[in-house]
Amino acid sequence: MKQWKPVLLTFSLFIIIIITIPALLVLPFSSGKETANLDEAKAKQTANKDMDQSMQVAVYRSNDDLIEKLPLEQYVVGVVAGEMPADFEPEALKAQALAARTYIVNQLLVDDSNVPKGADVTDTVAHQVYKNEKELAKLWGADYEWKIKKIKDAVHGTMGKVLTYKDKPITAAFFSTSNGYTENSESYWENELPYLRSVESPWDSKSPKFEDQVVIKTRDFQKKLGVTLPKDGSVGTITGRTEGKRVANVEINGKKFTGREIRDKLNLKSSDFTWSLKGDHIVISTKGFGHGVGMSQYGANGMAEEGKDYKQIVQHYYKDVKITQADTLLKKVTAQR
């Protein structure tokens, strides 16, 4: 047995040398930058995971009259699923995720008296449509697995990022389909916001929601608007249009309205409309679907189909904004709670 000891010792030393020498040779030439980048990536991944788990969103579930609390990124998944078709292009879904996350971060920073006590946001169009995974599984059925994975990938691809203007989260407005142009914020709402400017959106013409037509009985039209139509067979005169080519002002037999008022009172899909009197009915044709301010969802998908990435999409629809990490903003939210 003793005669084998020198052989075993020699063999062990040989193995140690084989393992150690390559490591010693490589180590001096390893890039410190690569090591630093790896450490930074790990730290960022940990920070995003911590953010996702620590920041909770309280959602008022309107149908059930209860509050559902969940991690921020999980909430964003539910909003993207509720607001945009899952079969849209991945880059369009990423743009939607970025807008949805920006919206909720902005919402968390304000005191909104329009939500029930204990909630941060509702699950309706008054804020952002949200659906949890149980609801989505029921809604999508056999398509659930691929749809939820696609949406989760889009959310993960933008995790922790928000849109800011002068270091503050923007009002990340979005809507379904434009009439070929988006709208200046002050043309629909009161405030003029520098990043919500009218831009061209030609991709929307492919949307199934681009054109619509409704027929309203004349008596219902008059009742809803509180007007009496003139005897000459006309309906009303459009006296001005917005920069986004929608109706700004209209006059009906001496009574004045904004385009938005007409849209709201008649429940039209857009404030870009034309109308005519046909017998005892008013035929109204519209272009686009939604308020028209901010990002067009079908426009975003059209851009993605042409090869544009989510950064190019959001920077087209939101002027002069930056894509930034939400860490600092979320720390401010935590401090307020």
Side-chain angles (χ1 to χ4, degrees), residues 167-182:
D167 300 323
K168 294 182 179 180
I170 69 168
T171 299
F174 56 86
F175 62 99
S176 171
T177 304
S178 83
N179 62 343
Y181 300 85
T182 66

Side-chain angles (χ1 to χ4, degrees), residues 115-134:
V115 296
K117 186 177 180 181
D120 299 312
V121 69
T122 69
D123 62 357
T124 70
V125 293
H127 293 96
Q128 297 188 115
V129 174
Y130 163 80
K131 295 183 182 299
N132 62 31
E133 292 195 24
K134 183 178 179 181

Side-chain angles (χ1 to χ4, degrees), residues 32-51:
K33 185 176 180 180
E34 289 177 2
T35 303
N37 287 343
L38 183 61
D39 291 342
E40 183 181 347
K42 287 181 178 178
K44 187 175 180 180
Q45 187 177 14
T46 301
N48 283 335
K49 185 178 179 181
D50 290 344
M51 178 195 68

Side-chain angles (χ1 to χ4, degrees), residues 21-74:
I21 287 178
L24 292 173
L25 288 172
V26 171
L27 189 59
F29 299 99
S30 296
S31 168
K33 185 176 180 180
E34 289 177 2
T35 303
N37 287 343
L38 183 61
D39 291 342
E40 183 181 347
K42 287 181 178 178
K44 187 175 180 180
Q45 187 177 14
T46 301
N48 283 335
K49 185 178 179 181
D50 290 344
M51 178 195 68
D52 181 28
Q53 298 304 319
S54 63
M55 181 55 60
Q56 298 281 308
V57 178
V59 187
Y60 176 70
R61 307 311 311 274
S62 52
N63 288 337
D64 301 317
D65 190 26
L66 56 80
I67 293 174
E68 180 180 339
K69 292 186 177 181
L70 66 159
L72 185 146
E73 295 295 331
Q74 189 177 329

Side-chain angles (χ1 to χ4, degrees), residues 106 110 170-171 173 183-198 260 291 293-294:
N106 195 32
V110 300
I170 69 168
T171 299
E183 195 67 279
N184 287 337
S185 60
E186 68 275 14
S187 294
Y188 199 79
W189 297 313
E190 292 182 3
N191 297 330
E192 179 180 340
L193 298 173
Y195 49 83
L196 293 178
R197 300 293 87 200
S198 177
R260 178 178 178 175
H291 51 64
V293 182

